[in-house]
Protein backbone atom coordinates (compact mmCIF):
# COMPACT_ATOMS: atom_id res chain seq x y z
CA UNK A 1 0.00 0.00 0.00
CA UNK A 2 1.37 3.42 -0.96
CA UNK A 3 0.23 6.30 1.25
CA UNK A 4 0.60 10.04 0.81
CA UNK A 5 -1.32 12.89 2.38
CA UNK A 6 -4.14 12.69 -0.19
CA UNK A 7 -3.83 9.30 -1.87
CA UNK A 8 -4.09 5.68 -0.73
CA UNK A 9 -3.63 3.04 -3.40
CA UNK A 10 -3.02 -0.66 -3.90
CA UNK A 11 -1.61 -1.59 -7.32
CA UNK A 12 -0.97 -5.07 -8.72
CA UNK A 13 -0.33 -6.93 -11.98
CA UNK A 14 -2.58 -9.80 -13.10
CA UNK A 15 -1.11 -12.06 -15.77
CA UNK A 16 -4.25 -14.20 -15.70
CA UNK A 17 -6.36 -11.21 -16.80
CA UNK A 18 -4.57 -10.66 -20.08
CA UNK A 19 -1.63 -8.87 -18.53
CA UNK A 20 -3.77 -6.24 -16.78
CA UNK A 21 -2.69 -3.66 -14.22
CA UNK A 22 -5.25 -3.16 -11.45
CA UNK A 23 -5.57 -0.42 -8.88
CA UNK A 24 -7.84 0.15 -5.88
CA UNK A 25 -7.48 3.64 -4.54
CA UNK A 26 -8.80 6.63 -2.64
CA UNK A 27 -8.12 10.21 -3.80
CA UNK A 28 -8.83 13.38 -1.81
CA UNK A 29 -7.92 16.92 -2.86
CA UNK A 30 -6.23 15.42 -5.90
CA UNK A 31 -6.31 15.81 -9.67
CA UNK A 32 -5.04 13.75 -12.60
CA UNK A 33 -3.22 16.00 -15.05
CA UNK A 34 -3.99 15.61 -18.75
CA UNK A 35 -2.36 12.35 -19.82
CA UNK A 36 -2.69 9.22 -21.97
CA UNK A 37 -2.11 5.49 -21.51
CA UNK A 38 -0.81 2.96 -24.00
CA UNK A 39 -3.63 0.65 -22.86
CA UNK A 40 -7.38 0.97 -22.48
CA UNK A 41 -8.50 2.20 -19.06
CA UNK A 42 -11.61 0.96 -17.23
CA UNK A 43 -12.69 2.41 -13.89
CA UNK A 44 -15.55 1.86 -11.45
CA UNK A 45 -16.22 4.73 -9.05
CA UNK A 46 -17.15 3.21 -5.68
CA UNK A 47 -17.43 6.37 -3.58
CA UNK A 48 -17.63 10.11 -4.18
CA UNK A 49 -17.40 11.61 -7.65
CA UNK A 50 -14.79 12.54 -10.25
CA UNK A 51 -15.04 14.91 -13.20
CA UNK A 52 -13.50 13.39 -16.33
CA UNK A 53 -12.47 15.44 -19.34
CA UNK A 54 -11.60 13.93 -22.70
CA UNK A 55 -11.49 15.51 -26.14
CA UNK A 56 -14.93 17.01 -26.68
CA UNK A 57 -16.44 15.45 -23.54
CA UNK A 58 -16.75 16.57 -19.94
CA UNK A 59 -18.70 14.28 -17.57
CA UNK A 60 -19.05 13.59 -13.87
CA UNK A 61 -18.76 9.94 -12.81
CA UNK A 62 -20.38 9.22 -9.45
CA UNK A 63 -20.44 6.16 -7.19
CA UNK A 64 -21.65 3.20 -9.25
CA UNK A 65 -20.62 4.70 -12.60
CA UNK A 66 -18.26 2.78 -14.86
CA UNK A 67 -16.16 4.59 -17.42
CA UNK A 68 -13.80 3.57 -20.19
CA UNK A 69 -11.07 5.50 -22.00
CA UNK A 70 -9.30 4.27 -25.13
CA UNK A 71 -5.55 3.87 -25.36
CA UNK A 72 -3.79 7.11 -26.40
CA UNK A 73 -6.89 9.18 -25.60
CA UNK A 74 -5.92 12.34 -23.63
CA UNK A 75 -7.93 12.69 -20.44
CA UNK A 76 -7.85 14.41 -17.06
CA UNK A 77 -9.77 14.00 -13.83
CA UNK A 78 -10.39 15.82 -10.57
CA UNK A 79 -12.72 15.75 -7.56
CA UNK A 80 -16.02 17.60 -7.66
CA UNK A 81 -15.89 18.35 -3.92
CA UNK A 82 -13.65 18.03 -0.88
CA UNK A 83 -14.53 14.41 -0.16
CA UNK A 84 -12.73 13.12 -3.26
CA UNK A 85 -13.44 9.69 -4.69
CA UNK A 86 -12.63 5.98 -4.50
CA UNK A 87 -12.36 3.73 -7.51
CA UNK A 88 -11.16 0.47 -8.98
CA UNK A 89 -9.28 0.62 -12.28
CA UNK A 90 -8.02 -1.87 -14.82
CA UNK A 91 -5.54 -1.04 -17.60
CA UNK A 92 -5.14 -3.59 -20.37
CA UNK A 93 -4.46 -3.81 -24.10
CA UNK A 94 -7.89 -3.93 -25.78
CA UNK A 95 -6.55 -6.10 -28.59
CA UNK A 96 -5.47 -8.67 -26.02
CA UNK A 97 -9.02 -8.66 -24.70
CA UNK A 98 -10.30 -9.39 -28.19
CA UNK A 99 -7.86 -12.27 -28.53
CA UNK A 100 -9.08 -13.77 -25.22
CA UNK A 101 -12.57 -14.33 -26.64
CA UNK A 102 -11.52 -15.23 -30.19
CA UNK A 103 -12.84 -11.94 -31.54
CA UNK A 104 -12.24 -10.54 -34.99
CA UNK A 105 -13.10 -7.37 -36.87
CA UNK A 106 -11.58 -3.87 -36.75
CA UNK A 107 -9.36 -2.56 -33.99
CA UNK A 108 -11.26 -2.10 -30.76
CA UNK A 109 -12.61 1.43 -30.14
CA UNK A 110 -14.49 1.89 -26.87
CA UNK A 111 -17.85 3.66 -26.83
CA UNK A 112 -17.32 5.50 -23.52
CA UNK A 113 -16.64 7.40 -21.48
CA UNK A 114 -19.60 6.31 -19.28
CA UNK A 115 -20.89 2.79 -19.93
CA UNK A 116 -24.43 2.16 -18.64
CA UNK A 117 -24.62 -1.59 -18.09
CA UNK A 118 -25.40 -3.06 -14.67
CA UNK A 119 -24.37 -6.57 -15.71
CA UNK A 120 -21.03 -5.34 -17.05
CA UNK A 121 -20.36 -3.32 -13.89
CA UNK A 122 -21.18 -6.24 -11.61
CA UNK A 123 -18.85 -8.51 -13.58
CA UNK A 124 -16.03 -5.97 -13.47
CA UNK A 125 -16.33 -5.43 -9.71
CA UNK A 126 -16.47 -9.17 -9.02
CA UNK A 127 -13.34 -9.83 -11.08
CA UNK A 128 -11.49 -6.88 -9.56
CA UNK A 129 -12.28 -7.82 -5.95
CA UNK A 130 -11.48 -11.47 -6.59
CA UNK A 131 -8.11 -10.57 -8.09
CA UNK A 132 -7.29 -8.31 -5.15
CA UNK A 133 -8.15 -11.07 -2.68
CA UNK A 134 -6.42 -13.80 -4.75
CA UNK A 135 -9.57 -15.90 -4.98
CA UNK A 136 -9.96 -19.08 -7.07
CA UNK A 137 -8.28 -18.43 -10.42
CA UNK A 138 -10.67 -20.58 -12.48
CA UNK A 139 -13.74 -18.69 -11.25
CA UNK A 140 -12.01 -15.34 -11.86
CA UNK A 141 -10.97 -16.26 -15.40
CA UNK A 142 -14.52 -17.35 -16.28
CA UNK A 143 -16.03 -14.11 -14.98
CA UNK A 144 -13.39 -12.12 -16.85
CA UNK A 145 -14.25 -13.83 -20.13
CA UNK A 146 -17.92 -12.99 -19.57
CA UNK A 147 -17.00 -9.37 -18.85
CA UNK A 148 -14.81 -9.11 -21.96
CA UNK A 149 -17.37 -10.75 -24.24
CA UNK A 150 -20.12 -8.38 -23.07
CA UNK A 151 -17.84 -5.35 -23.32
CA UNK A 152 -16.75 -6.09 -26.89
CA UNK A 153 -20.19 -7.07 -28.17
CA UNK A 154 -22.07 -4.11 -26.64
CA UNK A 155 -19.74 -1.24 -25.82
CA UNK A 156 -17.43 -0.64 -28.76
CA UNK A 157 -18.06 1.63 -31.73
CA UNK A 158 -17.91 -1.35 -34.09
CA UNK A 159 -18.77 -4.40 -31.96
CA UNK A 160 -16.29 -7.22 -32.37
CA UNK A 161 -17.58 -10.66 -33.31
CA UNK A 162 -16.72 -13.10 -30.53
CA UNK A 163 -16.38 -16.84 -30.84
CA UNK A 164 -19.76 -18.60 -30.83
CA UNK A 165 -20.52 -21.61 -28.67
CA UNK A 166 -20.27 -24.92 -30.53
CA UNK A 167 -21.24 -28.41 -29.50
CA UNK A 168 -17.87 -30.05 -28.82
CA UNK A 169 -18.64 -33.37 -27.08
CA UNK A 170 -15.10 -34.76 -27.22
CA UNK A 171 -13.56 -31.51 -25.95
CA UNK A 172 -16.08 -31.29 -23.11
CA UNK A 173 -15.43 -34.92 -22.16
CA UNK A 174 -11.68 -34.27 -22.05
CA UNK A 175 -12.21 -31.14 -19.99
CA UNK A 176 -14.36 -33.03 -17.48
CA UNK A 177 -11.76 -35.78 -17.20
CA UNK A 178 -9.03 -33.18 -16.65
CA UNK A 179 -11.03 -31.58 -13.84
CA UNK A 180 -12.02 -34.90 -12.24
CA UNK A 181 -8.38 -35.95 -12.05
CA UNK A 182 -7.23 -32.72 -10.37
CA UNK A 183 -9.80 -31.93 -7.72
CA UNK A 184 -7.06 -31.34 -5.16
CA UNK A 185 -5.27 -28.84 -7.41
CA UNK A 186 -5.81 -25.26 -8.50
CA UNK A 187 -6.26 -25.33 -12.24
CA UNK A 188 -6.29 -22.62 -14.91
CA UNK A 189 -8.78 -22.28 -17.73
CA UNK A 190 -5.85 -22.23 -20.18
CA UNK A 191 -4.73 -25.64 -18.90
CA UNK A 192 -8.21 -27.14 -19.20
CA UNK A 193 -8.58 -25.75 -22.72
CA UNK A 194 -5.18 -27.11 -23.75
CA UNK A 195 -6.15 -30.57 -22.50
CA UNK A 196 -9.42 -30.33 -24.42
CA UNK A 197 -7.79 -29.03 -27.60
CA UNK A 198 -9.82 -25.81 -27.88
CA UNK A 199 -9.17 -22.09 -27.30
CA UNK A 200 -10.20 -21.11 -23.75
CA UNK A 201 -13.29 -19.05 -24.59
CA UNK A 202 -14.60 -21.60 -27.08
CA UNK A 203 -14.10 -24.39 -24.55
CA UNK A 204 -15.78 -22.33 -21.82
CA UNK A 205 -18.89 -21.72 -23.95
CA UNK A 206 -19.03 -25.32 -25.22
CA UNK A 207 -18.70 -26.64 -21.67
CA UNK A 208 -21.56 -24.46 -20.46
CA UNK A 209 -23.76 -25.54 -23.33
CA UNK A 210 -23.06 -29.25 -22.85
CA UNK A 211 -23.21 -29.45 -19.04
CA UNK A 212 -25.37 -26.51 -18.03
CA UNK A 213 -22.61 -25.12 -15.80
CA UNK A 214 -19.21 -23.51 -16.04
CA UNK A 215 -15.99 -25.49 -15.50
CA UNK A 216 -15.61 -23.85 -12.08
CA UNK A 217 -19.15 -24.83 -11.03
CA UNK A 218 -18.53 -28.36 -12.32
CA UNK A 219 -15.31 -28.51 -10.31
CA UNK A 220 -17.13 -27.52 -7.12
CA UNK A 221 -19.77 -30.19 -7.69
CA UNK A 222 -17.12 -32.82 -8.46
CA UNK A 223 -15.29 -31.93 -5.25
CA UNK A 224 -18.48 -32.31 -3.27
CA UNK A 225 -19.22 -35.70 -4.88
CA UNK A 226 -15.77 -36.96 -3.91
CA UNK A 227 -16.26 -35.66 -0.38
CA UNK A 228 -19.61 -37.42 0.05
CA UNK A 229 -18.14 -40.72 -1.20
CA UNK A 230 -15.24 -40.49 1.24
CA UNK A 231 -17.51 -39.55 4.14
CA UNK A 232 -19.73 -42.56 3.45
CA UNK A 233 -16.61 -44.72 3.69
CA UNK A 234 -15.83 -43.24 7.10
CA UNK A 235 -12.71 -41.23 6.18
CA UNK A 236 -11.57 -38.50 8.57
CA UNK A 237 -13.12 -35.13 7.73
CA UNK A 238 -9.73 -33.41 7.56
CA UNK A 239 -8.48 -36.00 5.06
CA UNK A 240 -11.69 -35.66 3.06
CA UNK A 241 -11.22 -31.88 2.83
CA UNK A 242 -7.66 -32.14 1.53
CA UNK A 243 -8.33 -34.98 -0.92
CA UNK A 244 -11.40 -33.23 -2.31
CA UNK A 245 -9.62 -29.96 -3.00
CA UNK A 246 -11.00 -27.79 -0.19
CA UNK A 247 -8.66 -25.33 1.50
CA UNK A 248 -9.31 -26.81 4.93
CA UNK A 249 -11.95 -28.51 7.04
CA UNK A 250 -13.82 -25.23 7.64
CA UNK A 251 -14.03 -24.61 3.89
CA UNK A 252 -15.43 -28.10 3.35
CA UNK A 253 -17.98 -27.60 6.12
CA UNK A 254 -19.25 -24.29 4.68
CA UNK A 255 -19.53 -25.66 1.15
CA UNK A 256 -21.05 -28.97 2.25
CA UNK A 257 -23.70 -27.35 4.40
CA UNK A 258 -24.76 -24.92 1.64
CA UNK A 259 -25.43 -27.82 -0.74
CA UNK A 260 -26.38 -30.74 1.52
CA UNK A 261 -28.06 -28.86 4.36
CA UNK A 262 -26.00 -30.70 7.01
CA UNK A 263 -22.40 -30.65 8.16
CA UNK A 264 -19.88 -33.24 6.96
CA UNK A 265 -19.78 -34.60 10.52
CA UNK A 266 -23.54 -35.17 10.60
CA UNK A 267 -23.44 -36.77 7.16
CA UNK A 268 -20.62 -39.08 8.16
CA UNK A 269 -22.35 -40.02 11.40
CA UNK A 270 -25.56 -40.91 9.59
CA UNK A 271 -23.76 -43.48 7.46
CA UNK A 272 -21.76 -44.77 10.40
CA UNK A 273 -25.01 -45.31 12.28
CA UNK A 274 -26.66 -47.13 9.40
CA UNK A 275 -23.67 -49.49 9.07
CA UNK A 276 -23.69 -50.24 12.80
CA UNK A 277 -27.40 -50.99 12.70
CA UNK A 278 -26.94 -53.33 9.74
CA UNK A 279 -24.23 -55.25 11.57
Amino acid sequence: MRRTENVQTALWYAADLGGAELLHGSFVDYAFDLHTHDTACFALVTQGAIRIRTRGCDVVARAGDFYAVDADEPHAGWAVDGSGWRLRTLHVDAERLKALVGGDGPRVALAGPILRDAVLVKGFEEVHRDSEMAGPSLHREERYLEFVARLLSRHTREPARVAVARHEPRAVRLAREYLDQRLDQRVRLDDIAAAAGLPPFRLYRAFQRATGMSPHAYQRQARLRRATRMLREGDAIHDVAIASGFADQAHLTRSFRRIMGVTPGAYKAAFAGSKAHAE
Side-chain angles (χ1 to χ4, degrees):
M1 179 78 75
R2 177 174 63 85
R3 297 179 182 271
T4 69
E5 182 180 355
N6 302 311
V7 179
Q8 297 179 21
T9 61
L11 175 69
W12 66 99
Y13 174 78
D16 61 338
L17 301 182
E21 295 177 7
L22 295 89
L23 178 143
H24 184 196
S26 173
F27 302 84
V28 178
D29 189 24
Y30 187 85
F32 289 105
D33 292 335
L34 187 68
H35 65 287
T36 65
H37 300 282
D38 59 1
T39 60
C41 170
F42 303 95
L44 173 62
V45 181
T46 59
Q47 184 177 315
I50 176 176
R51 182 174 295 277
I52 307 161
R53 178 170 295 165
T54 62
R55 288 180 294 187
C57 183
D58 193 324
V59 298
V60 173
R62 303 185 184 279
D65 285 340
F66 183 67
Y67 67 86
V69 180
D70 268 321
D72 301 318
E73 175 66 28
H75 58 288
W78 60 94
V80 300
D81 57 40
S83 61
W85 72 93
R86 293 183 62 87
L87 83 175
R88 293 178 175 273
T89 69
L90 182 148
H91 291 80
V92 67
D93 185 339
E95 294 303 304
R96 293 187 70 175
L97 295 184
K98 189 166 68 175
L100 282 177
V101 295
D104 57 16
R107 185 173 180 81
V108 173
L110 300 172
I114 303 294
L115 304 183
R116 307 292 184 186
D117 187 331
V119 174
L120 188 78
V121 172
K122 181 180 179 182
F124 175 87
E125 185 170 22
E126 183 177 354
V127 168
H128 204 287
R129 288 182 181 277
D130 194 61
S131 181
E132 184 176 23
M133 301 302 293
S137 56
L138 181 57
H139 178 260
R140 181 168 58 253
E141 289 168 347
E142 291 173 354
R143 298 286 74 78
Y144 193 51
L145 288 179
E146 293 284 5
F147 165 77
V148 172
R150 189 174 183 91
L151 172 75
L152 297 183
S153 64
R154 298 180 180 223
H155 300 289
T156 58
R157 296 192 185 99
E158 293 186 51
R161 296 181 296 274
V162 300
V164 298
R166 293 187 174 90
H167 189 52
E168 302 276 3
R170 181 176 182 276
V172 172
R173 176 177 57 79
L174 291 173
R176 292 176 63 169
E177 291 175 356
Y178 184 90
L179 287 166
D180 287 339
Q181 294 166 6
R182 294 166 176 79
L183 295 183
D184 59 344
Q185 301 176 25
R186 276 197 164 193
V187 298
R188 296 281 310 277
L189 189 60
D190 283 349
D191 298 328
I192 303 170
L198 286 180
F201 188 66
R202 186 170 158 191
L203 181 276
Y204 173 58
R205 285 293 175 87
F207 196 99
Q208 282 188 310
R209 180 175 178 179
T211 68
M213 62 181 69
S214 70
H216 180 253
Y218 176 87
Q219 182 188 57
R220 286 187 301 176
Q221 293 299 312
R223 284 173 169 166
L224 191 67
R225 286 194 297 271
R226 177 179 289 182
T228 56
R229 288 196 299 268
M230 293 181 69
L231 290 169
R232 290 188 203 117
E233 294 299 318
D235 290 318
I237 296 176
H238 176 268
D239 295 340
V240 171
I242 301 303
S244 301
F246 293 93
D248 51 33
Q249 185 170 324
H251 183 204
L252 167 63
T253 298
R254 290 193 301 271
S255 300
F256 200 92
R257 191 167 188 172
R258 281 199 301 268
I259 301 299
M260 304 298 290
V262 298
T263 65
Y267 187 84
K268 177 183 176 182
F271 277 88
S274 65
K275 287 181 180 179
H277 181 73
E279 291 172 355

